[in-house]
């Protein structure tokens, strides 16, 4: 027991602030690669991840819109090439990318992520996984409260239904975080490691590993 405590006390703490949108595919790829890097270096570091909101399209409809239609409108003829590219990238992290289902406004998902963080940052990180897996690979709609609540239940978040029911719950907090953490960045995913190492984009695991080392040296 003493040896375990001693070993843990020698581990360096790595705090990771993650700015992300729940409909950003590169954000989910980045999460999978970050998870690989954390798993590979768990003997050296203790990790604390905190998720912050970003909205790629704050005006996206709450009722949802067909994903392919939305991307065609936004990117025109490039949308099919982008879909093929994302399918390829998702396969590198062992997942099948799907453009089935709806996309739309992400505010409710960010409110839920904020709320989950009040019950533990590990739960928040696990919720980001469930939301990403459902939205990007299973055709779930990020604005569907049923999907949000199923995801919350899977990671043991209590009181989620009551919280989401009132659209004002967590709204001010998410808006404050959008100003604080997203006001000065132009894209996501965006990572700040121990307050000094900054990374953007869906980086491979080895880039995260180097950043952990630099941030703790």
């Amino acid at each position: 027991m003493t040896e375990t405590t001693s070993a843990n006390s020698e581990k360096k703490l790595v705090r990771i602030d993650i700015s992300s949108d729940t409909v950003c595919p590169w954000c989910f790829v980045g999460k999978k690669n970050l998870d690989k890097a954390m798993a590979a270096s768990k003997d050296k570091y203790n990790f604390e991840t905190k998720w912050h909101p970003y909205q790629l399209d704050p005006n996206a409809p709450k009722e949802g819109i067909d994903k392919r239609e939305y991307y065609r409108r936004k990117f025109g003829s490039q949308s099919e090439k982008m879909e093929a590219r994302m399918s390829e990238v998702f396969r590198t992290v062992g997942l099948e990318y799907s453009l089935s289902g709806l996309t739309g406004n992400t505010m409710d998902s960010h409110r839920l992520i904020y709320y989950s963080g009040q019950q533990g940052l590990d739960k928040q990180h696990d919720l980001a996984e469930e939301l990403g897996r459902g939205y990007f690979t299973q055709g779930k709609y990020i604005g569907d409260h049923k999907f949000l609540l199923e995801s919350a239940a899977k990671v043991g978040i209590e009181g989620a239904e009551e919280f989401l029911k009132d659209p004002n719950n967590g709204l001010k907090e998410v808006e404050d975080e959008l100003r604080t953490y997203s006001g000065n960045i132009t894209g996501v995913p965006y990572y700040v490691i121990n307050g000094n190492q900054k990374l953007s984009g869906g980086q491979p695991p080895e880039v995260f590993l180097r950043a952990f080392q630099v941030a703790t040296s």
Side-chain angles (χ1 to χ4, degrees), residues 27-38:
C27 293
F28 194 53
V29 170
K31 181 198 177 292
K32 302 304 288 183
N33 287 334
L34 173 62
D35 285 344
K36 281 184 187 174
M38 291 195 296

Side-chain angles (χ1 to χ4, degrees), residues 6-197:
S6 172
N8 282 337
S9 65
E10 288 169 13
K11 287 187 188 182
K12 292 178 177 178
L13 178 62
V14 176
R15 287 193 180 93
I16 308 166
D17 286 283
I18 306 162
S19 292
S20 166
D21 198 1
T22 45
V23 293
C24 162
W26 283 108
C27 293
F28 194 53
V29 170
K31 181 198 177 292
K32 302 304 288 183
N33 287 334
L34 173 62
D35 285 344
K36 281 184 187 174
M38 291 195 296
S41 55
K42 63 184 180 182
D43 293 339
K44 289 174 70 175
Y45 308 114
N46 288 316
F47 293 99
E48 184 180 279
T49 58
K50 187 162 188 186
W51 289 77
H52 304 286
Y54 186 94
Q55 285 195 294
L56 292 167
D57 185 358
N59 300 313
K62 262 185 102 65
E63 64 273 15
I65 180 174
D66 180 82
K67 280 183 192 174
R68 280 197 175 86
E69 176 63 22
Y70 177 81
Y71 286 121
R72 275 195 206 102
R73 286 187 199 174
K74 193 169 182 180
F75 301 110
S77 60
Q78 291 298 307
S79 62
E80 288 184 13
K81 286 181 184 174
M82 291 170 66
E83 181 179 354
R85 170 68 177 141
M86 286 318 306
S87 295
E88 186 184 311
V89 170
F90 265 64
R91 278 194 286 273
T92 68
V93 293
L95 296 169
E96 286 297 319
Y97 180 66
S98 169
L99 265 189
S100 62
L102 304 176
T103 189
N105 198 284
T106 58
M107 178 54 79
D108 285 348
S109 66
H110 288 306
R111 289 198 300 122
L112 183 61
I113 289 170
Y114 158 76
Y115 178 68
S116 68
Q118 307 307 295
Q119 298 185 22
L121 295 181
D122 286 349
K123 285 188 178 180
Q124 192 182 56
H125 194 73
D126 291 343
L127 178 63
E129 173 72 22
E130 288 298 331
L131 295 178
R133 194 173 283 272
Y135 177 78
F136 293 112
T137 72
Q138 298 163 10
K140 305 284 189 179
Y141 173 41
I142 203 67
D144 177 12
H145 279 206
K146 185 182 175 191
F147 166 53
L148 295 177
L149 293 174
E150 283 172 356
S151 300
K154 283 180 183 176
V155 300
I157 296 161
E158 297 175 6
E161 185 171 6
E162 190 177 337
F163 178 83
L164 277 183
K165 212 176 274 182
D166 183 342
N168 291 313
N169 283 340
L171 185 62
K172 181 186 181 298
E173 290 83 356
V174 169
E175 287 176 342
D176 286 347
E177 288 222 335
L178 283 167
R179 282 190 293 273
T180 304
Y181 289 93
S182 301
N184 297 318
I185 62 176
T186 55
V188 284
Y190 187 79
Y191 309 89
V192 181
I193 301 170
N194 279 3
N196 55 52
Q197 291 301 301

